[in-house]
Amino acid sequence: PGYDPLAFMIEETHARGMEFHAWFNPFRANTTSAKTGLASNHVVNEHPNWIVNTGSQLYINPGIPQARQHIIDAIMEVVNNYDIDGVHLDDYFYPYSGSFNDDATYKESNGVFSNKGDWRRNNINVFIKQLGESIHASKPRVEFGISPFGVWRNKSVDITGSNTKAGVTAYDTTFADVRTWIKQEYIDYVTPQVYWSIGFAAAPYDTLVSWWSGEVKGTNVKLYIGHAPYKLGTPEKGWQTAQEIIDQLTWNESYPEVKGDIFFSAQHLRKNPLGLSELLKSYYQ
């Protein structure tokens, strides 16, 4: 556009006394399964052997070390060349759909794992560890955070999991072993997407905030809760009034481990669903 959009956004953010955390969807190569329109030097075209077509999207295969390093290099280009304050990863690890053909990669590169799930989780763990080390070696002040799916594991599967009945989980569906990232302090902060209402049967907001608070306790990893103002006004239980968000913020006050809140997303705050803006202003005063 004749100027550097990222440099512009960082400058304007800092001018307003805010931090700028660069948000990446790490393993997503394209939002659709189409290759048309992609640049000649796009990773899909330069390294087609790294790409898995899930049927709806194109993913970079986390089981290939060179592919993981490519993503780290891309993120580090931003870290090294821009005055960002943080690197933030969204929950794009292995896809939620479960459709991911990496059998050949598993056979070629697996040496110690008895099942593909553990191998996949290790692939992501290695990636997170190496990325965090790269960021902090280059710019120690830059924070590294991740916003995983809001349920790590259900208690019915793992006694140490949350008392939830989620159909998908971070650990078993996207192979995101968030507990390891926290306990090993690979990350500086975690922002679980707790996108349900208080008392929601399958995944109660209150239950999950309590669980995540216990996970970060005794570590140096900060906990920010991800909220879902985008759900306000939808038929899902609990989202018929903006007071739900305020009640969630009030609930968080009981947990000193909760260091802040993140709202998905800015566009929904700007739309002021069900009068949320006025309630937030009143709450934060």
Side-chain angles (χ1 to χ4, degrees), residues 49-236:
N49 58 313
W50 292 357
I51 306 303
V52 175
N53 188 334
T54 69
S56 60
Q57 293 183 341
L58 299 178
Y59 266 75
I60 297 173
N61 190 342
I64 301 174
Q66 299 91 330
R68 296 196 300 263
Q69 187 60 47
H70 171 83
I71 298 171
I72 292 173
D73 291 344
I75 293 172
M76 289 308 299
E77 179 183 345
V78 176
V79 173
N80 291 325
N81 293 317
Y82 293 88
D83 187 24
I84 63 172
D85 302 288
V87 168
H88 184 99
L89 299 189
D90 205 2
D91 56 337
Y92 282 86
F93 303 109
Y94 285 88
Y96 284 98
S97 66
S99 175
F100 199 82
N101 186 3
D102 56 355
D103 290 345
T105 311
Y106 176 56
K107 291 177 182 177
E108 290 171 10
S109 60
N110 174 50
V112 297
F113 296 99
S114 60
N115 64 80
K116 188 188 283 188
D118 288 342
W119 171 76
R120 284 179 171 179
R121 278 181 285 271
N122 183 68
N123 292 334
I124 302 300
N125 286 349
V126 169
F127 168 76
I128 299 300
K129 184 175 187 290
Q130 291 178 340
L131 175 56
E133 290 172 346
S134 298
I135 293 169
H136 293 136
S138 175
K139 291 184 178 179
R141 68 170 186 81
V142 173
E143 289 193 299
F144 176 33
I146 299 178
S147 56
F149 185 71
V151 178
W152 177 70
R153 294 193 95 183
N154 294 314
K155 193 173 184 178
S156 59
V157 176
D158 185 328
I159 192 63
T160 67
S162 54
N163 189 18
T164 50
K165 299 175 182 177
V168 299
T169 64
Y171 186 93
D172 297 294
T173 308
T174 64
F175 301 92
D177 185 10
V178 189
R179 172 174 286 169
T180 292
W181 310 344
I182 293 171
K183 300 307 180 187
Q184 298 297 322
E185 297 185 355
Y186 293 163
I187 56 179
D188 297 303
Y189 68 85
V190 63
T191 308
Q193 300 173 14
V194 191
Y195 292 168
W196 304 280
S197 60
I198 293 173
F200 182 71
Y205 175 91
D206 40 337
T207 297
L208 286 165
V209 168
S210 175
W211 187 89
W212 283 105
S213 296
E215 287 297 296
V216 302
K217 196 168 188 175
T219 74
N220 291 312
V221 177
K222 288 175 283 189
L223 173 62
Y224 305 130
I225 300 298
H227 297 263
Y230 75 93
K231 282 191 173 180
L232 286 172
T234 65
E236 185 176 306

Side-chain angles (χ1 to χ4, degrees), residues 72 148 196 249 277 285:
I72 292 173
W196 304 280
L249 295 174
S277 296
Q285 282 177 351

Side-chain angles (χ1 to χ4, degrees), residues 35 42-52 59 64:
K35 297 181 180 180
H42 192 284
V43 63
V44 169
N45 293 321
E46 286 201 335
H47 300 282
N49 58 313
W50 292 357
I51 306 303
V52 175
Y59 266 75
I64 301 174

